[in-house]
Amino acid sequence: MRFSSVIVAAGSGRRAGGAKQWRALGGRAVVRWSVEALLKAGAEEAVVVIPAGAEGELGQALAGLTGWRAVTGGATRADSVRAGLAALTCAADQQVLVHDAARPLLSRGVIERLLAALETADGALPGLEAADSLRRVDQGMVGDSVPRDGLVRAQTPQAFRRGTVEAAHAAWTGAEPPTDEAEAVRAAGGRVAVVAGDPRLMKLTYPEDFAMAEALIPRRTHVGMGFDAHRWGPGGAVWLCGVEIPHDQTLIGHSDADAGLHALTDAILGALGEGDIGDHFPPTDPQWKGASSDRFLSHAAGLVAARGGVIVHVDVTLICERPKVKPHRQAMRERIAALLDMPLQSVSVKATTTEAMGFTGRGEGLAAQAAATVELPVKP
């Protein structure tokens, strides 16, 4: 497929609470979803239309991507589209997709259907049949029903030859700007085909739309495992799973030696494929001497959130002869749940012994193992 693309991201996002194109969705900026999808589908160029002065926000949102460039939009959507079209370098007969960044969940299938429709039409748009009953409203009261036969909900991207859509915008004489490119092309005498749309290609308009879009993002389950062990030494208390327990010994380590939280941190990092706790908090670094291990766990949880992921379950097993864990197990679960902002029922803490065998059985040290289940968004 050979085509160019214009991604309109110049709106204020007022109804969504402001600047929705830069907000995170599934761990990525909203605008990035569309740019990535179009480039991956074969777009030879992607012009992103942005508000004046937003180059920094766009650069951060699209960090690491190539094949795009930015242009400043205008006062209306139609003005922004014209600016984007003018910034293209392709020929007049090149196929161009004009897409709203506020529709992030764009699939390759929709793109392919649009480009195929251009073989026999002057333009094409994805549409969804109106399934709900349609009613007019008069001063807050239900009015007459509207027949839904032949009605569709128009989506973007919309596809045209560059010359066709530019000429249509130039010829527009309406009192108000066209609502979209299909309206302009039809007014100029063009035929615009409708192809099957995608319910996931919803437009983010209101704050609650983001929760719906998050639920629509495909996710894959990742499981990580962690293990840690520390020696016993002189002391009067021990930290385990974020809870201080009075004891006649303490665990020796560079930080607070909380083996439970260390193992759990490693389990989460493992689920992410992000190395281990030593990579992020080297024991040779003096700033971590005596550090509270909840900082390590919170860091790992932050990495999950940055990827748009969710920690759905964690399980920690402490392996020791002493101290007795059961009296403190509930407090440990509650502390971990608070640190990870998880429901208590999704946190498991348990303990076992090695029947006096090995270093834990001889009372030389304590060990912990953990498993973490994380759901991460699947890139399109």
Side-chain angles (χ1 to χ4, degrees), residues 220-264:
R220 182 173 293 124
T221 300
H222 299 247
V223 177
M225 299 183 66
F227 178 84
D228 193 46
H230 287 280
R231 293 180 180 274
W232 287 114
V238 60
W239 283 94
L240 291 174
C241 293
V243 175
E244 188 177 28
I245 300 173
H247 191 50
D248 57 5
Q249 290 180 299
T250 192
L251 291 173
I252 306 301
H254 187 64
S255 63
D256 63 6
D258 189 330
L261 293 191
H262 290 184
L264 183 52

Side-chain angles (χ1 to χ4, degrees), residues 241 243 327-336:
C241 293
V243 175
H328 309 282
R329 185 169 60 189
Q330 186 67 9
M332 294 177 182
R333 293 178 65 213
E334 291 173 356
R335 179 59 177 154
I336 292 172

Side-chain angles (χ1 to χ4, degrees), residues 176-196:
E176 298 292 333
T179 56
D180 59 14
E181 287 57 64
E183 184 177 15
V185 170
R186 285 191 67 252
R191 297 170 59 254
V192 180
V194 178
V195 304

